[in-house]
Amino acid sequence: MDMLAVELGPLSLANPILTASGTFGGSDEMADFFDLSRLGAIVLKTVTLHPRRGNRPPRVAETPFGMLNSIGLPNGGIDYFIENQLPVLREIPTTRVVNVAGDTVDQFIEGVRRLDAAGGMDAFELNISCPNVEGGRLPFGSDPKVTEVLVRGVRGVTDLPLIVKLSPNVTDVVVIAQAAAAGGADVLSLINTLLGMAIDPRTKRPKLGSNFGGLSGPAIKPVAVKMVWEVSRSVDLPVIGIGGIRDVDDVIEFLLAGASAVQVGTANYLEPTVIPRLLDELPPRLEELGVSQVTDLIGAVRPFEEI
Ligand code: SIN
């Protein structure tokens, strides 16, 4: 077996490095940078049942070691996706994951039903955690009952693997993870962005047009590692770790915490070839650490005894 191969529930991946939704385009926009067949899986920007214009600009702001965004899930809607993006996606020779969101539970279900009927993807990722679309209301993924109902509803319209992407903006992420599992999720991905705000002292205006948004990048990595550790110990589903990965030891850290794979997001903006670099660096780093299979690292953290 190839030293980088991993199983993610029903999905067999050539390696554990995926793109994070929203940071890698809506089909093959990044193909000029590297051979996309190298990806463990490609995860696309969220699509919604109906077209969305997105939020008032500015939509991104830099912060120390991080990035705030409030994009608002702009996209052409699922019919546009099926006609224009899906044919391109079908030609990308890797595992293809379509990320889906909706304003209501029924929109999630109908969106996945239509996509599933169109075919051409290998899995869905349900974005129940976007902090930027509810007009200040909490996302679906902050309520365990809604999470379970939503995932169960979607489970009823597709046999493809369901990855459920969790929000860190909750009191107890384990409760939400358990609800997603009860609804029929196959895999959990975490974390989406942490809510944050930045203000320009000269203008007294928030730096984002929607006042606040979601923080990503290296600043959130320790929060993400801790949540991956908690969830992977408590829920019997494979976990994809997300949050601030830019170096090979970041990948290893998430695997040790219990992730079976990772998604790389914000680092793509700084270094569009970060993923092939990590894929080049991972095998020699594993050898240095005396690890023969990347799967040997999953959950292998040696936590101190609780005091
Ligand atoms: C956005 O489009 O506002 C970000 C999406 C997300 O964080 O889920």
Side-chain angles (χ1 to χ4, degrees):
M1 188 166 126
D2 191 294
M3 84 186 301
L4 295 189
V6 291
E7 302 287 322
L8 211 49
L11 289 168
S12 297
L13 305 185
N15 70 68
I17 306 190
L18 293 66
T19 63
S21 176
T23 66
F24 210 77
S27 58
D28 70 345
E29 290 92 327
M30 300 295 277
D32 286 343
F33 289 99
F34 66 94
D35 174 5
L36 301 184
S37 71
R38 294 200 66 193
L39 294 167
I42 185 166
V43 186
L44 302 182
K45 176 71 180 164
T46 304
V47 288
T48 53
L49 185 60
H50 303 301
R52 296 180 59 90
R53 290 172 59 89
N55 291 346
R56 177 173 45 207
R59 290 174 169 179
V60 292
E62 270 188 66
T63 59
F65 308 105
M67 187 184 97
L68 275 174
N69 88 78
S70 180
I71 314 292
L73 305 182
N75 75 101
I78 275 172
D79 290 342
Y80 178 89
F81 177 83
I82 289 173
E83 203 171 315
N84 299 286
Q85 292 161 257
L86 194 54
V88 182
L89 179 68
R90 284 198 183 105
E91 300 303 315
I92 302 176
T94 184
T95 301
R96 295 161 285 239
V97 182
V98 176
N99 180 297
V100 183
D103 291 337
T104 62
V105 169
D106 285 346
Q107 284 186 14
F108 272 89
I109 296 171
E110 179 58 13
V112 170
R113 195 188 61 72
R114 283 196 209 176
L115 287 163
D116 185 85
M121 68 287 304
D122 302 296
F124 294 106
E125 182 175 62
L126 303 182
N127 184 359
I128 63 167
S129 47
C130 177
N132 303 328
V133 290
E134 312 274 330
R137 282 187 291 124
L138 294 169
F140 294 98
S142 55
D143 182 320
K145 287 201 184 70
V146 176
T147 298
E148 185 174 337
V149 167
L150 191 156
V151 177
R152 181 165 295 123
V154 174
R155 181 73 290 168
V157 297
T158 183
D159 290 330
L160 287 179
L162 281 184
I163 304 167
V164 178
K165 185 166 179 176
L166 303 181
S167 170
N169 304 307
V170 293
T171 310
D172 186 354
V173 70
V174 170
V175 172
I176 309 296
Q178 286 166 337
D186 296 296
V187 181
L188 302 171
S189 57
L190 61 146
I191 57 176
N192 205 320
T193 53
L194 277 164
L195 282 172
M197 182 173 184
I199 301 171
D200 184 332
R202 289 165 301 143
T203 61
K204 302 191 178 87
R205 288 281 200 192
K207 289 188 178 176
L208 292 177
S210 57
N211 296 322
F212 63 88
L215 181 66
S216 61
I220 73 165
K221 195 185 77 175
V223 178
V225 169
K226 192 249 187 187
M227 288 193 173
V228 163
W229 183 54
E230 281 181 312
V231 166
S232 63
R233 291 193 319 164
S234 318
V235 182
D236 193 18
L237 287 181
V239 167
I240 304 172
I242 321 165
I245 293 168
R246 57 183 172 160
D247 283 319
V248 75
D249 279 359
D250 298 330
V251 176
I252 290 172
E253 208 177 330
F254 272 98
L255 298 175
L256 290 171
S260 300
V262 298
Q263 294 180 0
V264 176
T266 306
N268 291 307
Y269 298 122
L270 288 169
E271 184 189 354
T273 51
V274 57
I275 293 179
R277 175 174 63 76
L278 294 175
L279 288 169
D280 290 341
E281 290 175 2
L282 193 51
R285 185 67 177 134
L286 294 181
E287 270 163 36
E288 250 171 51
L289 295 171
V291 173
S292 58
Q293 293 288 324
V294 76
T295 48
D296 293 345
L297 290 172
I298 300 171
V301 60
R302 297 168 54 231
F304 294 108
E305 280 170 32
E306 279 168 38
I307 45 173

